[in-house]
Amino acid sequence: GNSVTQMEGPVTLSEEAFLTINCTYTATGYPSLFWYVQYPGEGLQLLLKATKADDKGSNKGFEATYRKETTSFHLEKGSVQVSDSAVYFCALSDADTGRRALTFGSGTRLQVQP
Amino acid sequence: ETGVTQTPRHLVMGMTNKKSLKCEQHLGHNAMYWYKQSAKKPLELMFVYSLEERVENNSVPSRFSPECPNSSHLFLHLHTLQPEDSALYLCASSQADRNLNTEAFFGQGTRLTVV
C-alpha cells in the first residue's frame, strides 16, 4: 500500500536559517505529492504540490521537487521566519489505487526562534 | 466565503450528550472526508463519502455516525463519547475522479472536548 514517511520533529531553527524537512513515499501508481501546513488552532492548508516526476512545487518561499528516482519530496526554504512556525505534513494522492483520500505523513513541527 | 466551513469551532460536551458537527463545502467537489487529529498522534482518516455514498469507514466506533445528505454537506453525529475522543475533528473535500490525483481542501476544524 501507499505510505509517507517524514522526519520526526520538532525542528528548531533560528530566524533566517535554511530549512529542510525530509519526506519519502511508497506508492503503487504515479502519485501526486503535496505539502500541507497547519498553524496553531487551524486546519490544514495546501502549501504546494507537484503532479509528476521532476516537477517543482513552490509557494511563499517554500519549494519541493518530485524525485521519482529517490521517491522523495523534501521541503526546503532558504530563510525561515518566526511566522513559519507550524506543523508541516507531506501527503500523496494515488488515484490509480482507487483510493480517494490522501495518504499523510505524521507531520513535522517547526519552531522558529527570533 | 471560505471553501470548507466547519461549525462549531469549539464544542464541550458531556459523555451522555448528543451533538453534531457540521461541514459545508462551496467548491463543487464530489468527495468529503472526516479526519480526527489527536495530540501526538498521526492524522486519522475516519470516513470518506463520494457522491454521497460512504466508501470508506476506518474502524470507527459506532458512537460516531456520519451523514452526507448531499455533496455539499457532511455531518458527524456524536453520542455517548469518551474523554479519549477529545480531539480536533477536520472535514475536507476534494474532486475525486478516476485517474485524477487532486488535493484536498480542509476546514478549520472543530475542537471537541469531552468531559
Side-chain angles (χ1 to χ4, degrees), chain B residues 63-82:
Chain B
R63 57 186 183 269
F64 295 91
S65 175
E67 178 190 2
C68 188
N70 55 62
S71 59
S72 299
H73 293 86
L74 185 65
F75 295 90
L76 188 63
H77 303 300
L78 316 171
H79 63 98
T80 60
L81 294 192
Q82 304 298 311

mmCIF file with all atom_site columns, all heavy atoms in Angstrom, chain B residues 63-82:
data_model
loop_
_atom_site.group_PDB
_atom_site.id
_atom_site.type_symbol
_atom_site.label_atom_id
_atom_site.label_alt_id
_atom_site.label_comp_id
_atom_site.label_asym_id
_atom_site.label_entity_id
_atom_site.label_seq_id
_atom_site.pdbx_PDB_ins_code
_atom_site.Cartn_x
_atom_site.Cartn_y
_atom_site.Cartn_z
_atom_site.occupancy
_atom_site.B_iso_or_equiv
_atom_site.pdbx_formal_charge
_atom_site.auth_seq_id
_atom_site.auth_comp_id
_atom_site.auth_asym_id
_atom_site.auth_atom_id
_atom_site.pdbx_PDB_model_num
ATOM 1   N N   . ARG B 1 63 ? -20.171 5.104  18.132 1.00 0.00 ? 63 ARG B N   1
ATOM 2   C CA  . ARG B 1 63 ? -20.622 6.340  18.771 1.00 0.00 ? 63 ARG B CA  1
ATOM 3   C C   . ARG B 1 63 ? -20.386 7.550  17.856 1.00 0.00 ? 63 ARG B C   1
ATOM 4   O O   . ARG B 1 63 ? -20.849 8.646  18.141 1.00 0.00 ? 63 ARG B O   1
ATOM 5   C CB  . ARG B 1 63 ? -19.927 6.530  20.125 1.00 0.00 ? 63 ARG B CB  1
ATOM 6   C CG  . ARG B 1 63 ? -18.415 6.547  20.079 1.00 0.00 ? 63 ARG B CG  1
ATOM 7   C CD  . ARG B 1 63 ? -17.875 6.604  21.514 1.00 0.00 ? 63 ARG B CD  1
ATOM 8   N NE  . ARG B 1 63 ? -16.429 6.700  21.559 1.00 0.00 ? 63 ARG B NE  1
ATOM 9   C CZ  . ARG B 1 63 ? -15.631 5.645  21.620 1.00 0.00 ? 63 ARG B CZ  1
ATOM 10  N NH1 . ARG B 1 63 ? -16.130 4.423  21.631 1.00 0.00 ? 63 ARG B NH1 1
ATOM 11  N NH2 . ARG B 1 63 ? -14.315 5.830  21.670 1.00 0.00 ? 63 ARG B NH2 1
ATOM 12  N N   . PHE B 1 64 ? -19.668 7.324  16.757 1.00 0.00 ? 64 PHE B N   1
ATOM 13  C CA  . PHE B 1 64 ? -19.522 8.335  15.711 1.00 0.00 ? 64 PHE B CA  1
ATOM 14  C C   . PHE B 1 64 ? -20.371 7.892  14.520 1.00 0.00 ? 64 PHE B C   1
ATOM 15  O O   . PHE B 1 64 ? -20.153 6.792  13.983 1.00 0.00 ? 64 PHE B O   1
ATOM 16  C CB  . PHE B 1 64 ? -18.070 8.469  15.263 1.00 0.00 ? 64 PHE B CB  1
ATOM 17  C CG  . PHE B 1 64 ? -17.145 8.982  16.322 1.00 0.00 ? 64 PHE B CG  1
ATOM 18  C CD1 . PHE B 1 64 ? -16.480 8.100  17.161 1.00 0.00 ? 64 PHE B CD1 1
ATOM 19  C CD2 . PHE B 1 64 ? -16.942 10.334 16.486 1.00 0.00 ? 64 PHE B CD2 1
ATOM 20  C CE1 . PHE B 1 64 ? -15.628 8.566  18.148 1.00 0.00 ? 64 PHE B CE1 1
ATOM 21  C CE2 . PHE B 1 64 ? -16.080 10.815 17.464 1.00 0.00 ? 64 PHE B CE2 1
ATOM 22  C CZ  . PHE B 1 64 ? -15.427 9.930  18.299 1.00 0.00 ? 64 PHE B CZ  1
ATOM 23  N N   . SER B 1 65 ? -21.278 8.743  14.081 1.00 0.00 ? 65 SER B N   1
ATOM 24  C CA  . SER B 1 65 ? -22.186 8.377  12.997 1.00 0.00 ? 65 SER B CA  1
ATOM 25  C C   . SER B 1 65 ? -22.188 9.477  11.949 1.00 0.00 ? 65 SER B C   1
ATOM 26  O O   . SER B 1 65 ? -22.683 10.573 12.199 1.00 0.00 ? 65 SER B O   1
ATOM 27  C CB  . SER B 1 65 ? -23.596 8.174  13.556 1.00 0.00 ? 65 SER B CB  1
ATOM 28  O OG  . SER B 1 65 ? -24.506 7.937  12.514 1.00 0.00 ? 65 SER B OG  1
ATOM 29  N N   . PRO B 1 66 ? -21.636 9.220  10.762 1.00 0.00 ? 66 PRO B N   1
ATOM 30  C CA  . PRO B 1 66 ? -21.611 10.255 9.740  1.00 0.00 ? 66 PRO B CA  1
ATOM 31  C C   . PRO B 1 66 ? -22.897 10.281 8.931  1.00 0.00 ? 66 PRO B C   1
ATOM 32  O O   . PRO B 1 66 ? -23.639 9.297  8.861  1.00 0.00 ? 66 PRO B O   1
ATOM 33  C CB  . PRO B 1 66 ? -20.437 9.821  8.857  1.00 0.00 ? 66 PRO B CB  1
ATOM 34  C CG  . PRO B 1 66 ? -20.473 8.332  8.935  1.00 0.00 ? 66 PRO B CG  1
ATOM 35  C CD  . PRO B 1 66 ? -20.950 7.986  10.323 1.00 0.00 ? 66 PRO B CD  1
ATOM 36  N N   . GLU B 1 67 ? -23.127 11.447 8.324  1.00 0.00 ? 67 GLU B N   1
ATOM 37  C CA  . GLU B 1 67 ? -24.278 11.600 7.441  1.00 0.00 ? 67 GLU B CA  1
ATOM 38  C C   . GLU B 1 67 ? -23.892 12.566 6.331  1.00 0.00 ? 67 GLU B C   1
ATOM 39  O O   . GLU B 1 67 ? -23.317 13.622 6.597  1.00 0.00 ? 67 GLU B O   1
ATOM 40  C CB  . GLU B 1 67 ? -25.484 12.161 8.212  1.00 0.00 ? 67 GLU B CB  1
ATOM 41  C CG  . GLU B 1 67 ? -26.714 12.391 7.340  1.00 0.00 ? 67 GLU B CG  1
ATOM 42  C CD  . GLU B 1 67 ? -27.808 13.162 8.062  1.00 0.00 ? 67 GLU B CD  1
ATOM 43  O OE1 . GLU B 1 67 ? -27.605 13.547 9.235  1.00 0.00 ? 67 GLU B OE1 1
ATOM 44  O OE2 . GLU B 1 67 ? -28.862 13.393 7.441  1.00 0.00 ? 67 GLU B OE2 1
ATOM 45  N N   . CYS B 1 68 ? -24.232 12.199 5.101  1.00 0.00 ? 68 CYS B N   1
ATOM 46  C CA  . CYS B 1 68 ? -23.928 13.060 3.958  1.00 0.00 ? 68 CYS B CA  1
ATOM 47  C C   . CYS B 1 68 ? -25.189 13.214 3.126  1.00 0.00 ? 68 CYS B C   1
ATOM 48  O O   . CYS B 1 68 ? -25.422 12.430 2.197  1.00 0.00 ? 68 CYS B O   1
ATOM 49  C CB  . CYS B 1 68 ? -22.787 12.468 3.139  1.00 0.00 ? 68 CYS B CB  1
ATOM 50  S SG  . CYS B 1 68 ? -22.170 13.538 1.825  1.00 0.00 ? 68 CYS B SG  1
ATOM 51  N N   . PRO B 1 69 ? -26.017 14.204 3.432  1.00 0.00 ? 69 PRO B N   1
ATOM 52  C CA  . PRO B 1 69 ? -27.300 14.349 2.745  1.00 0.00 ? 69 PRO B CA  1
ATOM 53  C C   . PRO B 1 69 ? -27.187 14.801 1.292  1.00 0.00 ? 69 PRO B C   1
ATOM 54  O O   . PRO B 1 69 ? -28.075 14.523 0.489  1.00 0.00 ? 69 PRO B O   1
ATOM 55  C CB  . PRO B 1 69 ? -28.040 15.384 3.581  1.00 0.00 ? 69 PRO B CB  1
ATOM 56  C CG  . PRO B 1 69 ? -26.958 16.171 4.235  1.00 0.00 ? 69 PRO B CG  1
ATOM 57  C CD  . PRO B 1 69 ? -25.833 15.211 4.482  1.00 0.00 ? 69 PRO B CD  1
ATOM 58  N N   . ASN B 1 70 ? -26.106 15.489 0.972  1.00 0.00 ? 70 ASN B N   1
ATOM 59  C CA  . ASN B 1 70 ? -25.845 15.919 -0.409 1.00 0.00 ? 70 ASN B CA  1
ATOM 60  C C   . ASN B 1 70 ? -24.353 16.182 -0.550 1.00 0.00 ? 70 ASN B C   1
ATOM 61  O O   . ASN B 1 70 ? -23.608 16.118 0.434  1.00 0.00 ? 70 ASN B O   1
ATOM 62  C CB  . ASN B 1 70 ? -26.674 17.158 -0.769 1.00 0.00 ? 70 ASN B CB  1
ATOM 63  C CG  . ASN B 1 70 ? -26.464 18.299 0.195  1.00 0.00 ? 70 ASN B CG  1
ATOM 64  O OD1 . ASN B 1 70 ? -25.355 18.808 0.324  1.00 0.00 ? 70 ASN B OD1 1
ATOM 65  N ND2 . ASN B 1 70 ? -27.521 18.696 0.887  1.00 0.00 ? 70 ASN B ND2 1
ATOM 66  N N   . SER B 1 71 ? -23.928 16.505 -1.738 1.00 0.00 ? 71 SER B N   1
ATOM 67  C CA  . SER B 1 71 ? -22.482 16.592 -1.977 1.00 0.00 ? 71 SER B CA  1
ATOM 68  C C   . SER B 1 71 ? -21.839 17.796 -1.313 1.00 0.00 ? 71 SER B C   1
ATOM 69  O O   . SER B 1 71 ? -20.616 17.890 -1.262 1.00 0.00 ? 71 SER B O   1
ATOM 70  C CB  . SER B 1 71 ? -22.215 16.640 -3.483 1.00 0.00 ? 71 SER B CB  1
ATOM 71  O OG  . SER B 1 71 ? -22.860 17.748 -4.059 1.00 0.00 ? 71 SER B OG  1
ATOM 72  N N   . SER B 1 72 ? -22.640 18.718 -0.777 1.00 0.00 ? 72 SER B N   1
ATOM 73  C CA  . SER B 1 72 ? -22.075 19.918 -0.162 1.00 0.00 ? 72 SER B CA  1
ATOM 74  C C   . SER B 1 72 ? -22.032 19.859 1.349  1.00 0.00 ? 72 SER B C   1
ATOM 75  O O   . SER B 1 72 ? -21.383 20.694 1.969  1.00 0.00 ? 72 SER B O   1
ATOM 76  C CB  . SER B 1 72 ? -22.887 21.159 -0.569 1.00 0.00 ? 72 SER B CB  1
ATOM 77  O OG  . SER B 1 72 ? -22.859 21.339 -1.957 1.00 0.00 ? 72 SER B OG  1
ATOM 78  N N   . HIS B 1 73 ? -22.728 18.924 1.948  1.00 0.00 ? 73 HIS B N   1
ATOM 79  C CA  . HIS B 1 73 ? -22.856 18.896 3.395  1.00 0.00 ? 73 HIS B CA  1
ATOM 80  C C   . HIS B 1 73 ? -22.454 17.538 3.963  1.00 0.00 ? 73 HIS B C   1
ATOM 81  O O   . HIS B 1 73 ? -22.775 16.488 3.400  1.00 0.00 ? 73 HIS B O   1
ATOM 82  C CB  . HIS B 1 73 ? -24.307 19.199 3.812  1.00 0.00 ? 73 HIS B CB  1
ATOM 83  C CG  . HIS B 1 73 ? -24.730 20.595 3.510  1.00 0.00 ? 73 HIS B CG  1
ATOM 84  N ND1 . HIS B 1 73 ? -25.241 20.958 2.275  1.00 0.00 ? 73 HIS B ND1 1
ATOM 85  C CD2 . HIS B 1 73 ? -24.702 21.732 4.264  1.00 0.00 ? 73 HIS B CD2 1
ATOM 86  C CE1 . HIS B 1 73 ? -25.514 22.248 2.291  1.00 0.00 ? 73 HIS B CE1 1
ATOM 87  N NE2 . HIS B 1 73 ? -25.203 22.743 3.470  1.00 0.00 ? 73 HIS B NE2 1
ATOM 88  N N   . LEU B 1 74 ? -21.793 17.618 5.092  1.00 0.00 ? 74 LEU B N   1
ATOM 89  C CA  . LEU B 1 74 ? -21.363 16.419 5.805  1.00 0.00 ? 74 LEU B CA  1
ATOM 90  C C   . LEU B 1 74 ? -21.534 16.671 7.291  1.00 0.00 ? 74 LEU B C   1
ATOM 91  O O   . LEU B 1 74 ? -21.182 17.740 7.784  1.00 0.00 ? 74 LEU B O   1
ATOM 92  C CB  . LEU B 1 74 ? -19.898 16.114 5.486  1.00 0.00 ? 74 LEU B CB  1
ATOM 93  C CG  . LEU B 1 74 ? -19.300 14.833 6.058  1.00 0.00 ? 74 LEU B CG  1
ATOM 94  C CD1 . LEU B 1 74 ? -19.976 13.604 5.456  1.00 0.00 ? 74 LEU B CD1 1
ATOM 95  C CD2 . LEU B 1 74 ? -17.791 14.777 5.805  1.00 0.00 ? 74 LEU B CD2 1
ATOM 96  N N   . PHE B 1 75 ? -22.090 15.676 7.975  1.00 0.00 ? 75 PHE B N   1
ATOM 97  C CA  . PHE B 1 75 ? -22.291 15.795 9.417  1.00 0.00 ? 75 PHE B CA  1
ATOM 98  C C   . PHE B 1 75 ? -21.576 14.640 10.116 1.00 0.00 ? 75 PHE B C   1
ATOM 99  O O   . PHE B 1 75 ? -21.366 13.569 9.537  1.00 0.00 ? 75 PHE B O   1
ATOM 100 C CB  . PHE B 1 75 ? -23.791 15.721 9.768  1.00 0.00 ? 75 PHE B CB  1
ATOM 101 C CG  . PHE B 1 75 ? -24.591 16.868 9.224  1.00 0.00 ? 75 PHE B CG  1
ATOM 102 C CD1 . PHE B 1 75 ? -25.171 16.790 7.967  1.00 0.00 ? 75 PHE B CD1 1
ATOM 103 C CD2 . PHE B 1 75 ? -24.775 18.020 9.979  1.00 0.00 ? 75 PHE B CD2 1
ATOM 104 C CE1 . PHE B 1 75 ? -25.911 17.847 7.452  1.00 0.00 ? 75 PHE B CE1 1
ATOM 105 C CE2 . PHE B 1 75 ? -25.515 19.075 9.479  1.00 0.00 ? 75 PHE B CE2 1
ATOM 106 C CZ  . PHE B 1 75 ? -26.091 18.996 8.221  1.00 0.00 ? 75 PHE B CZ  1
ATOM 107 N N   . LEU B 1 76 ? -21.236 14.889 11.360 1.00 0.00 ? 76 LEU B N   1
ATOM 108 C CA  . LEU B 1 76 ? -20.733 13.828 12.227 1.00 0.00 ? 76 LEU B CA  1
ATOM 109 C C   . LEU B 1 76 ? -21.534 13.880 13.511 1.00 0.00 ? 76 LEU B C   1
ATOM 110 O O   . LEU B 1 76 ? -21.419 14.826 14.289 1.00 0.00 ? 76 LEU B O   1
ATOM 111 C CB  . LEU B 1 76 ? -19.235 14.004 12.500 1.00 0.00 ? 76 LEU B CB  1
ATOM 112 C CG  . LEU B 1 76 ? -18.563 12.850 13.239 1.00 0.00 ? 76 LEU B CG  1
ATOM 113 C CD1 . LEU B 1 76 ? -18.626 11.569 12.411 1.00 0.00 ? 76 LEU B CD1 1
ATOM 114 C CD2 . LEU B 1 76 ? -17.106 13.194 13.561 1.00 0.00 ? 76 LEU B CD2 1
ATOM 115 N N   . HIS B 1 77 ? -22.392 12.884 13.689 1.00 0.00 ? 77 HIS B N   1
ATOM 116 C CA  . HIS B 1 77 ? -23.245 12.818 14.870 1.00 0.00 ? 77 HIS B CA  1
ATOM 117 C C   . HIS B 1 77 ? -22.506 12.080 15.979 1.00 0.00 ? 77 HIS B C   1
ATOM 118 O O   . HIS B 1 77 ? -21.927 11.002 15.744 1.00 0.00 ? 77 HIS B O   1
ATOM 119 C CB  . HIS B 1 77 ? -24.557 12.114 14.533 1.00 0.00 ? 77 HIS B CB  1
ATOM 120 C CG  . HIS B 1 77 ? -25.312 12.750 13.403 1.00 0.00 ? 77 HIS B CG  1
ATOM 121 N ND1 . HIS B 1 77 ? -25.753 14.059 13.451 1.00 0.00 ? 77 HIS B ND1 1
ATOM 122 C CD2 . HIS B 1 77 ? -25.683 12.268 12.194 1.00 0.00 ? 77 HIS B CD2 1
ATOM 123 C CE1 . HIS B 1 77 ? -26.376 14.355 12.309 1.00 0.00 ? 77 HIS B CE1 1
ATOM 124 N NE2 . HIS B 1 77 ? -26.345 13.283 11.530 1.00 0.00 ? 77 HIS B NE2 1
ATOM 125 N N   . LEU B 1 78 ? -22.550 12.681 17.150 1.00 0.00 ? 78 LEU B N   1
ATOM 126 C CA  . LEU B 1 78 ? -21.781 12.172 18.288 1.00 0.00 ? 78 LEU B CA  1
ATOM 127 C C   . LEU B 1 78 ? -22.720 11.786 19.430 1.00 0.00 ? 78 LEU B C   1
ATOM 128 O O   . LEU B 1 78 ? -23.635 12.551 19.757 1.00 0.00 ? 78 LEU B O   1
ATOM 129 C CB  . LEU B 1 78 ? -20.818 13.253 18.786 1.00 0.00 ? 78 LEU B CB  1
ATOM 130 C CG  . LEU B 1 78 ? -20.040 14.034 17.728 1.00 0.00 ? 78 LEU B CG  1
ATOM 131 C CD1 . LEU B 1 78 ? -19.316 15.209 18.370 1.00 0.00 ? 78 LEU B CD1 1
ATOM 132 C CD2 . LEU B 1 78 ? -19.079 13.118 17.005 1.00 0.00 ? 78 LEU B CD2 1
ATOM 133 N N   . HIS B 1 79 ? -22.506 10.635 20.030 1.00 0.00 ? 79 HIS B N   1
ATOM 134 C CA  . HIS B 1 79 ? -23.304 10.275 21.204 1.00 0.00 ? 79 HIS B CA  1
ATOM 135 C C   . HIS B 1 79 ? -22.513 9.346  22.101 1.00 0.00 ? 79 HIS B C   1
ATOM 136 O O   . HIS B 1 79 ? -21.774 8.481  21.630 1.00 0.00 ? 79 HIS B O   1
ATOM 137 C CB  . HIS B 1 79 ? -24.642 9.644  20.788 1.00 0.00 ? 79 HIS B CB  1
ATOM 138 C CG  . HIS B 1 79 ? -24.493 8.361  20.037 1.00 0.00 ? 79 HIS B CG  1
ATOM 139 N ND1 . HIS B 1 79 ? -24.621 7.121  20.644 1.00 0.00 ? 79 HIS B ND1 1
ATOM 140 C CD2 . HIS B 1 79 ? -24.228 8.109  18.754 1.00 0.00 ? 79 HIS B CD2 1
ATOM 141 C CE1 . HIS B 1 79 ? -24.458 6.178  19.726 1.00 0.00 ? 79 HIS B CE1 1
ATOM 142 N NE2 . HIS B 1 79 ? -24.213 6.747  18.582 1.00 0.00 ? 79 HIS B NE2 1
ATOM 143 N N   . THR B 1 80 ? -22.706 9.541  23.395 1.00 0.00 ? 80 THR B N   1
ATOM 144 C CA  . THR B 1 80 ? -22.014 8.762  24.440 1.00 0.00 ? 80 THR B CA  1
ATOM 145 C C   . THR B 1 80 ? -20.523 8.664  24.177 1.00 0.00 ? 80 THR B C   1
ATOM 146 O O   . THR B 1 80 ? -19.927 7.576  24.131 1.00 0.00 ? 80 THR B O   1
ATOM 147 C CB  . THR B 1 80 ? -22.621 7.358  24.627 1.00 0.00 ? 80 THR B CB  1
ATOM 148 O OG1 . THR B 1 80 ? -22.517 6.628  23.396 1.00 0.00 ? 80 THR B OG1 1
ATOM 149 C CG2 . THR B 1 80 ? -24.055 7.467  25.062 1.00 0.00 ? 80 THR B CG2 1
ATOM 150 N N   . LEU B 1 81 ? -19.894 9.822  23.985 1.00 0.00 ? 81 LEU B N   1
ATOM 151 C CA  . LEU B 1 81 ? -18.459 9.826  23.721 1.00 0.00 ? 81 LEU B CA  1
ATOM 152 C C   . LEU B 1 81 ? -17.667 9.610  25.003 1.00 0.00 ? 81 LEU B C   1
ATOM 153 O O   . LEU B 1 81 ? -18.189 9.728  26.111 1.00 0.00 ? 81 LEU B O   1
ATOM 154 C CB  . LEU B 1 81 ? -18.049 11.149 23.079 1.00 0.00 ? 81 LEU B CB  1
ATOM 155 C CG  . LEU B 1 81 ? -18.602 11.430 21.682 1.00 0.00 ? 81 LEU B CG  1
ATOM 156 C CD1 . LEU B 1 81 ? -17.874 12.627 21.076 1.00 0.00 ? 81 LEU B CD1 1
ATOM 157 C CD2 . LEU B 1 81 ? -18.472 10.226 20.768 1.00 0.00 ? 81 LEU B CD2 1
ATOM 158 N N   . GLN B 1 82 ? -16.391 9.310  24.804 1.00 0.00 ? 82 GLN B N   1
ATOM 159 C CA  . GLN B 1 82 ? -15.463 9.087  25.898 1.00 0.00 ? 82 GLN B CA  1
ATOM 160 C C   . GLN B 1 82 ? -14.447 10.233 25.936 1.00 0.00 ? 82 GLN B C   1
ATOM 161 O O   . GLN B 1 82 ? -14.214 10.889 24.913 1.00 0.00 ? 82 GLN B O   1
ATOM 162 C CB  . GLN B 1 82 ? -14.730 7.758  25.700 1.00 0.00 ? 82 GLN B CB  1
ATOM 163 C CG  . GLN B 1 82 ? -15.654 6.560  25.555 1.00 0.00 ? 82 GLN B CG  1
ATOM 164 C CD  . GLN B 1 82 ? -16.490 6.364  26.806 1.00 0.00 ? 82 GLN B CD  1
ATOM 165 O OE1 . GLN B 1 82 ? -15.968 6.357  27.922 1.00 0.00 ? 82 GLN B OE1 1
ATOM 166 N NE2 . GLN B 1 82 ? -17.804 6.209  26.633 1.00 0.00 ? 82 GLN B NE2 1
#
